[in-house]
Amino acid sequence: MLPGEIFTKLKNDFGDAIIELNESPNSDPWILVGADQLFDIFHTLRDADEFQFDYLMSLSGTDLGENLGVVYHLYSMTHRHKLVVKVEVPKGNPVVPTVERLWRTADWHEREAYDLIGVRFEGHQNLIRILLPYDWEGHPLQKDYVTPDSYHGMKIS
Amino acid sequence: MGLLNRLDDPYEGGGIVLGKIEELLNWGRSKSDWYLHFGLACCAIEFMAMNASHFDFMRFGTIPRTSPRQADFIMVTGTVTFKMAERIKILYEQMAEPKYVISVGSCSNSGGPYWEHGYHVLKGVDRIIPVDVYIPGCPPRPEAFEEGMMKLQEKINKQAIFNKRKLLGTE
């Protein structure tokens, strides 16, 4: 199934929660969705017979300046189709519902996005840092991150 | 290496070797260095090639140990992040004297590609533990490992055991 068809079907089910379809020739087509109904949308994408996205290839966080974003790459082993879904949340309160219960692989991916970008995944059962030390302050892949002078007495730069 | 030279050319009449006890001890120490391998990045992959039969690192008398308490030197191969730096320091402190450190590769020597902008990388392992031999390269060739190991043996051979303030061979 092509992303355009998936977009139309989702639009019928979820209405305004499905914001935009972007079919730029420079990248894979992607669908922008709202954060509120995110879990239900992904539940449908995973379990509906026509979609069956049983594989979350990648979950990544992005810093878009005003907003923080999360990008989901989905793949269906059964239908062999792909989909890219994006969600954007304001930097002041970057809360996105977790999809960890749908795809187990999202557990560590969400922890990484939280660690480096600072997206908070609501409902995640163990949202702690995965790469950086637990007592690290800030999220270093944010564009406005200021590198501290030292860490535990070791000079950084 | 005074002792070995005399083995080649023994005291007239044969059977007697003259030498200093320090040279004997250093000869033994430099030819049986056990190491703790701290593999952190691609330098460790190169070190695997060094350990395999083509280059045969064990011909130097080195044996890999999994415990710092049994090791004579520590081999830091790769990018030292701050998270790992604290572990390295703890392991170094657990080693028994005399202990040595070989720093392998650009990252471990100076931070390498993370020199300017890495928020998470220690800019050289010599900022937390004293390094005896630096092996340059990104990653170094196995030949460079051999050179580095010979430099360490050279250093051990020159060390005075009883009067620590002077090097052997200097009066």
Side-chain angles (χ1 to χ4, degrees), chain B residues 26-87:
Chain B
N26 281 346
W27 177 66
R29 283 194 319 130
S30 68
K31 297 292 185 291
S32 68
D33 272 328
W34 294 5
Y35 65 95
L36 177 73
H37 183 210
F38 222 100
L40 297 169
C42 39
C43 287
I45 306 292
E46 200 67 17
F47 192 59
M48 290 175 204
M50 182 67 212
N51 267 301
S53 48
H54 263 120
F55 295 97
D56 190 16
F57 195 45
M58 273 204 189
R59 79 177 107 155
F60 291 101
T62 57
I63 302 177
R65 306 310 296 172
T66 49
S67 161
R69 293 162 210 280
Q70 301 169 348
D72 295 307
F73 71 95
I74 181 168
M75 200 131 190
V76 184
T77 51
T79 317
V80 184
T81 58
F82 288 114
K83 202 174 176 180
M84 205 45 112
E86 299 186 314
R87 275 84 173 161

Side-chain angles (χ1 to χ4, degrees), chain A residues 32-97:
Chain A
L32 184 66
V33 303
D36 295 342
Q37 290 194 57
L38 192 82
F39 185 84
D40 294 332
I41 295 169
F42 279 124
H43 203 217
T44 310
L45 283 173
R46 191 191 71 168
D47 285 353
D49 284 341
E50 53 202 347
F51 301 136
Q52 290 196 35
F53 285 105
D54 47 10
Y55 178 35
L56 176 67
M57 291 196 292
S58 151
L59 185 157
S60 25
T62 49
D63 186 348
L64 306 161
E66 296 282 303
N67 292 334
L68 295 183
V70 184
V71 186
Y72 303 83
H73 285 75
L74 304 176
Y75 184 72
S76 168
M77 295 284 185
T78 325
H79 297 307
R80 313 224 166 167
H81 54 204
K82 274 189 202 169
L83 184 67
V84 182
V85 180
K86 294 190 185 184
V87 62
E88 288 181 17
V89 282
K91 215 171 197 174
N93 184 29
V95 178
V96 176

Side-chain angles (χ1 to χ4, degrees), chain A residues 131 136 140 151-152 155-156, chain B residues 82-83 85-86 119 123 127:
Chain A
L131 295 170
W136 194 273
Y151 173 74
H152 286 193
K155 211 161 147 279
I156 287 189
Chain B
F82 288 114
K83 202 174 176 180
E86 299 186 314
Y119 59 90
K123 311 295 185 267
R127 290 195 176 188

Side-chain angles (χ1 to χ4, degrees), chain A residues 21-37:
Chain A
L21 169 71
N22 185 311
E23 288 186 303
S24 152
N26 300 324
S27 67
D28 285 344
W30 47 266
I31 295 174
L32 184 66
V33 303
D36 295 342
Q37 290 194 57

Side-chain angles (χ1 to χ4, degrees), chain B residues 130-143:
Chain B
V131 175
D132 293 286
V133 177
Y134 298 88
I135 302 179
C138 187
R141 292 271 313 153
E143 290 86 343

Side-chain angles (χ1 to χ4, degrees), chain A residues 109-157:
Chain A
H109 280 132
E110 285 182 348
R111 279 176 62 189
E112 188 188 6
Y114 162 73
D115 191 356
L116 300 177
I117 295 285
V119 183
R120 288 207 308 281
F121 291 92
E122 201 169 28
H124 193 289
Q125 43 94 17
N126 186 29
L127 195 65
I128 54 174
R129 289 187 184 274
I130 189 170
L131 295 170
L132 291 166
Y134 294 136
D135 59 353
W136 194 273
E137 282 172 18
H139 304 282
L141 291 195
Q142 285 187 355
K143 303 276 188 207
D144 51 1
Y145 178 76
V146 181
T147 309
D149 290 335
S150 67
Y151 173 74
H152 286 193
M154 293 175 280
K155 211 161 147 279
I156 287 189
S157 55

